[in-house]
Every structure is written in C-alpha cells, then in structure tokens.
Amino acid sequence: MGWLDRERTIAPPGFNRWLVPPAALAVHLCIGQAYATSVYKTALVKHFGASLTEIGVIFSIAIVMLGLSAAIMGTWVDKNGPRKAMFTSAVFWASGFLIGSLGIFSGQLWLVYLGYGFIGGIGLGIGYISPVSTLIKWFPDRPGLATGMAIMGFGGGALIASPVSTALLKMYDPNSGAKGWVANGDSVGKLFLTLAVVYLAYMMFGAFTIKVPAEGWKPAGFDPAKVKTATLVTADNVSARNAVKTRQFWLVWIVLFCNVTAGIGILEQAAPMIQDFFRQPDGVSLVSAGVASGFVGLLSIGNMSGRFAWSATSDVTGRKRIYMLFLGVGAVLYTVLALAGSTTTVLYVALAFVIISFYGGGFATVPAYLRDLFGTFQVGAIHGRLLTAWSAAGIAGPLIVNAFLDAQGKPGQLTAESYQPALLTMVGLLVIGFIANLLVKPVDARFHEPRPDRVRSEEPALEA
Amino acid sequence: MSTAQTPVKPSTGKLVIAWALVGVPLAYGVSETLTRVAALFG
C-alpha cells in the first residue's frame, strides 16, 4: 500500500493546484449524503416496523462517529497525507452502505446501525478532515476560499443525493406509481448497494487526483510576509497536542458550538417552523406543505453558498471579523425573526436564508481560522479535535428547540409566539459566541514548535 | 520520490474533466433544488 503514502503524493513541478479543490469536492460531495437520509427514512420505518426515533438513531450514530473519528484520527490524517486518508474514508463509507444494505435485506436493524452508522460514520469523519490541511497548504494566499470550496461540497452532497436517491428508489420499486407510495425495503437495499459503488468510485477519483505540495512550495508571486499583516495570523506552528492546551482552541470551540447550535435550531425545524409562524387563528397555516418543502430547499442553498461565499470573504476581512458578523449580526437577525418574523413571509424567508448562510459560513471558515492561530503544521488534526463542537451542538441544538416547543404545545398547534423562547435562547448563545470570539488573541509563543533558528526550552503547561 | 520530482506540463483538459466531474452533479443538485424552491415563490 506504499502507493498511498504521503511521499508518493508530492506534486511534481508544474502541477496545477486547481486540480486539488475538485479532488476535495469529490470526497465532500459523497459524504454530504449524510444530510439526505430523510429520503428513505419512512421506507425504513415501514420495512423494519420501527419507530422514527429508532431509525433516526442510524443518523445520530453516524454524526457522533463523525466527530469522534475526526478528533481521534486527525493526527493520523496529517501524518499519512490526504491520499491514504481519502482512500480509507472511501473504504469505510462504501463498506457502511454495503453492510447497511445487508441489514436491510436481512431485516436486521442492528446491522444498519453498525454499517451506515458506526462504520460509515468513521468514513464521514476521516473524509471531512482529509483534504483540509492540504488545501490550506496549496492556497496559503486564499485559505478561506480553498476550504470553503471543499466544505461547500458537504452541503452540496445532500442536494445531489436527495433527487438521485428518489429517482433510484422509483426505478427499483415496481409499485412506485401507486398512490401514497412508500418505497419497499428491497429498493432501499438496492439503493444502498448502488450508492456504495458510485461513492467508492467518486472518492477514489478524489484520492488519486489529490497531491501535496513539495516542501517550501509557494504560489507564484506569493509573499508570506503580506499574509502576516494581521495580528492573529501566525507564521509559527503549534502541534495538535499543544493546541488543545491553549485558551484560543477552546474559545474557537465555543464560537463553533454556539454558531452551529443556533443554526441547527432552525434547520431541524425548518418545514414545520415556517408553517407554524404563519398559522391562522383557525389553526390552518398560510404556508402549504409544498411551499414549506421549497423553503427547506432554499435553506440548503443558503447553507451551501454561505460555506463558499463567507469563507472566501474571510480572506479579505480576516477570520475574527467574519465571525463577529456571523455571531453579532446573527444575534440581531434571530431577535428580529423571533419578534417580527411572522409579519411577512418575505421577511421570514430572507432572515432565515441569511442566518443559515452564517451557519454554513461558520463551518467553512473555521479551518482557516485555525491556520491563522496555529499555523499549517497539524491544522488538520486540530480541526478534527475542534469538530467535537459540531457533535455537541448536534445534540444541544435540537434538544433546546424541542424542549421549548414541547412546553409550548403540540405539533400542529404551535404559533410564532411558541418559538420565541427557543429563538431568544439561541440569541443568548450567539452573544456568548460573540464574546468568546472577541477574546481570541494570538497564541503564546511558548506553544510554538521550535524553528531551526531557535530552541524551545520547556514543555508548555496549560495556558492560564 | 523520483517520479514526484519529474516536472509535468499543466494540462487544461485534465483540469476541465476534474471540475466537470464534480461540477455537473453539483449543478444538477442545485437545479433540482431550485425547482423545489420555485413553489415558495409560485
């Protein structure tokens, strides 16, 4: 397996760095399927005779494994390079679908938990972080743009997987034309087999296209001194082991946690929320189910485009300022949404779109923020550890919203006022994130890796 | 290592194929989603 080693992936002189983003996108577009599971959720409920919660556990295991594997495997990914990491991710992701299909065909739900949830989730985590540090090294002049392109793929993956999966389910199920049709288990199993093959091929394309820059490579005309104009951008490096000992790591962790928790609050409830906001006194909503579905689609576009647009913008504004926008303006927009969102649908949709673009932007900009603070040395591993904030937010966000809504009434009876406590709680979280971001300062020099021209005297202790 | 050091000639064709492989499915996904979004404004 020596052909997967980092040494075999060093780019020769003349290699075009613009081949790297499509390689990264190939992986992220595939693993982004994780957000398209709703397509076959009802079919699995029917096939296994299980509850929605029991089927939802498949996705929850996958997201928890994403955070855990990114945190645990981050250093391995940085050490072994992107090709081995993408290859490993592809094997885990495709195996997850294969074992999952076996579980569906044999009627064993635990096999779907093990396959798609556990094994596929490991593929998700490794795949998510695999191209990040490589992109940052190829684009030292525009790290936000580079990581934004890749992480946009994670948002875009669901946009592709959703219509493709629906079309395949219709093709595999002979009863697809029936009224009130729900796909049978056999067709979902075949869908999983198809996705395993297609995703394996696509991710292999990414793995065998990606290359790392040679030591000392820099883009033509690039002057590192120009990048080091902002006080937060370091020319030094901090190891992943030392990064978690710094205050900065945990402040950025809080920033990401607050931003993601607030965004998930809207995303999880998107369709019923818009209907509840425009519910009339007679209990009927002005927004139909079809329109609500269109709204969910619009949020997906906002999420995906925000990942690219805001992350690329951060190369100009600086990372700290763009997070002040996400969190500060985000808090104001959330407040307007809570207090005046039910005035008109146009205002509601516009507010939600911008808020979700901030949510996506927060994900995509964070690798460049880490690069600024900790250097490029182990930025992939540090990013992996930071993604535990995502896992935590994935639990906290829906928990907060659902707890408040449960206290307000039953689904179908909720109104705009019912959402105010949950939304204003999110405002509080965004303010906490805003303060955490304000407190981010350059990392103390004692955490820096020694340079050839200077020697570090002692092992750094936990920063006070 | 030796193969990695051999200079390569930048290939526009390779670049176009690589971007098309990811760009076409992404454009399809966005277009399908926008069709659904149309209900919001229709």
Side-chain angles (χ1 to χ4, degrees), chain A residues 224-461:
Chain A
K226 281 186 184 166
V227 176
K228 179 74 190 88
T229 48
T231 49
L232 275 182
V233 182
T234 184
D236 285 287
N237 286 302
V238 179
S239 67
R241 192 163 153 253
N242 282 337
V244 294
K245 294 178 187 169
T246 65
R247 186 192 294 143
Q248 284 76 6
F249 176 87
W250 293 106
L251 287 172
V252 178
W253 195 98
I254 292 168
V255 164
L256 186 67
F257 172 78
C258 293
N259 195 51
V260 175
T261 304
I264 283 179
I266 280 197
L267 269 181
E268 283 281 316
Q269 277 293 117
M273 189 171 160
I274 189 171
Q275 292 188 291
D276 292 337
F277 257 69
F278 297 97
R279 194 171 298 287
Q280 299 302 291
D282 61 359
V284 178
S285 176
L286 290 175
V287 177
S288 68
V291 172
S293 162
F295 172 65
V296 175
L298 190 71
L299 290 190
S300 305
I301 303 261
N303 181 10
M304 188 188 78
S305 52
R307 287 170 191 245
F308 176 69
W310 292 123
S311 187
T313 307
S314 75
D315 287 337
V316 180
T317 61
R319 257 52 84 171
K320 192 168 179 172
R321 282 201 194 114
I322 205 96
Y323 274 98
M324 282 164 81
L325 177 85
F326 297 159
L327 299 156
V329 177
V332 174
L333 296 183
Y334 254 100
T335 309
V336 177
L337 187 75
L339 303 178
S342 59
T343 321
T344 67
T345 46
V346 174
L347 176 71
Y348 179 90
V349 169
L351 287 170
F353 184 85
V354 179
I355 287 170
I356 291 304
S357 80
F358 287 167
Y359 163 82
F363 270 120
T365 313
V366 88
Y369 206 172
L370 296 176
R371 193 289 307 248
D372 290 354
L373 292 166
F374 302 108
T376 56
F377 173 48
Q378 288 188 336
V379 67
I382 299 168
H383 184 219
R385 284 158 173 78
L386 193 82
L387 289 182
T388 49
W390 181 4
S391 296
I395 297 166
L399 213 64
I400 293 170
V401 173
N402 292 331
F404 276 115
L405 293 183
D406 284 344
Q408 296 291 319
K410 287 183 178 166
Q413 297 171 348
L414 301 172
T415 61
E417 287 71 36
S418 315
Y419 285 84
Q420 280 181 358
L423 291 175
L424 294 175
T425 304
M426 296 306 178
V427 172
L429 265 174
L430 287 169
V431 170
I432 293 170
F434 186 83
I435 294 167
N437 186 50
L438 274 183
L439 295 173
V440 173
K441 293 192 168 55
V443 174
D444 193 286
R446 68 203 157 101
F447 293 102
H448 294 163
E449 289 297 297
R451 283 184 184 179
D453 54 330
R454 59 177 143 92
V455 178
R456 191 173 50 174
S457 56
E458 58 188 78
E459 178 74 12

Side-chain angles (χ1 to χ4, degrees), chain A residues 64-117:
Chain A
V64 169
M65 288 312 297
L66 183 157
L68 287 178
S69 59
I72 295 167
M73 299 296 287
T75 310
W76 179 87
V77 169
D78 268 348
K79 192 178 164 200
N80 289 280
R83 180 169 294 169
K84 193 177 268 185
M86 286 178 173
F87 181 88
T88 308
S89 163
V91 170
F92 271 96
W93 189 227
S95 302
F97 277 105
L98 287 178
I99 296 168
S101 72
L102 196 65
I104 296 168
F105 287 131
S106 61
Q108 302 289 323
L109 183 56
W110 69 271
L111 267 177
V112 188
Y113 288 158
L114 173 72
Y116 187 94

Side-chain angles (χ1 to χ4, degrees), chain A residues 10-16 18-19 21-22 25-26 29 149 156 159-160 163-164 202 205 290-291 293-295 297-298 301 304, chain B residues 1 3-11 14-15 17-23 25-26 28-30 32-34 36-37 39-41:
Chain A
I10 297 171
F15 180 80
N16 189 333
W18 287 97
L19 278 168
L25 264 170
L29 286 173
M149 269 189 283
L159 300 190
I160 303 168
V164 168
Y202 241 87
F205 153 69
V291 172
S293 162
F295 172 65
L298 190 71
I301 303 261
M304 188 188 78
Chain B
M1 283 291 277
T3 52
Q5 299 305 320
T6 312
V8 292
K9 200 177 160 192
S11 160
K14 211 173 180 181
L15 197 66
I17 292 169
W19 276 101
L21 274 171
V22 291
L26 190 57
Y28 163 76
V30 171
E32 286 290 315
T33 310
L34 285 175
R36 204 152 47 99
V37 171
L40 192 59
F41 303 103

Side-chain angles (χ1 to χ4, degrees), chain A residues 121-168:
Chain A
I122 295 172
L124 276 178
I126 297 173
Y128 193 91
I129 59 169
S130 60
V132 168
S133 69
T134 304
L135 280 165
I136 286 175
K137 283 167 190 160
W138 274 115
F139 291 85
D141 46 344
R142 281 176 282 182
L145 172 100
T147 57
M149 269 189 283
I151 293 173
M152 172 187 77
F154 197 78
L159 300 190
I160 303 168
S162 187
V164 168
S165 300
T166 306
L168 285 171

